[in-house]
Amino acid sequence: AVVTSGFEELRGYISPRLDGCRNLQEAAAAVFAAHVEFFEENQDLMRIFHQVRGVLKFDRPRWRPLRTQLRLHVEFLAQRLALGEARSCTLARRLELAVFLFGCASGTTSVLVAAYPESARLRSLNERWSDPIGRTVAAANGALARTRSRQRRRPR
């Protein structure tokens, strides 16, 4: 119940921050920034989400419902990333981008808080990383699209 309501709250936090985004780069930067801000305000949930990812690696039947909540969050992000040039992306590619973004934000914040609890100011991550993350996601998406286009043009 905590994980379900936590992810719902996180999605509610992210949604309004994506409303003004015009393209994938802006959306990716906003997704990263929103996660970091949310985790700074809700560090216990950040720790719980980190633990959820850990226990799911053991693939125990009683923990599998947690995977549903994690997948719902990633799928929400993939849906919201369908902006600008990413509108033509396959769902599979947007899912990869969503996993990358969530992993960057949640992994970075949990490592920072675990390793440097006395000085962890999570929002400083946004000042340094949200724009570069946005550019990286947009560039990766473009590179994947070019690669796929070349593969389709090759004669068989």
Side-chain angles (χ1 to χ4, degrees):
V2 170
V3 171
T4 299
S5 69
F7 274 120
E8 288 171 357
E9 189 177 339
L10 176 56
R11 287 189 292 273
Y13 191 88
I14 292 169
S15 277
R17 285 152 181 83
L18 289 171
D19 288 342
C21 295
R22 297 172 306 224
N23 57 44
L24 180 60
Q25 181 174 331
E26 289 178 7
V31 164
F32 180 81
H35 277 89
V36 172
E37 290 169 11
F38 181 84
F39 290 147
E40 182 168 58
E41 295 172 14
N42 300 278
Q43 290 191 16
D44 287 341
L45 275 175
M46 182 243 332
R47 290 177 180 98
I48 289 168
F49 291 165
H50 180 80
Q51 293 301 315
V52 164
R53 291 190 323 271
V55 300
L56 286 174
K57 293 174 189 170
F58 294 105
D59 199 30
R60 299 267 173 19
R62 65 183 171 163
W63 293 333
R64 288 183 188 145
L66 296 171
R67 181 171 290 126
T68 300
Q69 296 308 313
L70 181 58
R71 284 182 177 169
L72 284 172
H73 185 68
V74 170
E75 290 164 6
F76 159 81
L77 294 175
Q79 174 194 8
R80 295 302 308 266
L81 290 173
L83 296 167
E85 68 282 5
R87 199 172 275 135
S88 63
C89 287
T90 64
L91 176 59
R93 185 176 328 146
R94 287 197 319 271
L95 284 168
E96 287 176 0
L97 297 172
V99 166
F100 174 77
L101 282 168
F102 181 68
C104 283
S106 62
T108 303
T109 55
S110 65
V111 169
L112 182 61
V113 168
Y116 305 100
E118 68 285 348
S119 64
R121 186 177 163 300
L122 299 182
R123 288 183 196 236
S124 65
L125 291 172
N126 284 342
E127 296 163 8
R128 291 184 201 75
W129 291 104
S130 61
D131 287 338
I133 292 285
R135 286 191 300 273
T136 299
V137 167
N141 180 58
L144 289 169
R146 287 186 298 278
T147 300
R148 189 172 181 145
S149 177
R150 280 192 295 266
Q151 289 172 345
R152 274 189 250 138
R153 285 188 292 220
R154 285 187 188 149
R156 294 180 184 220

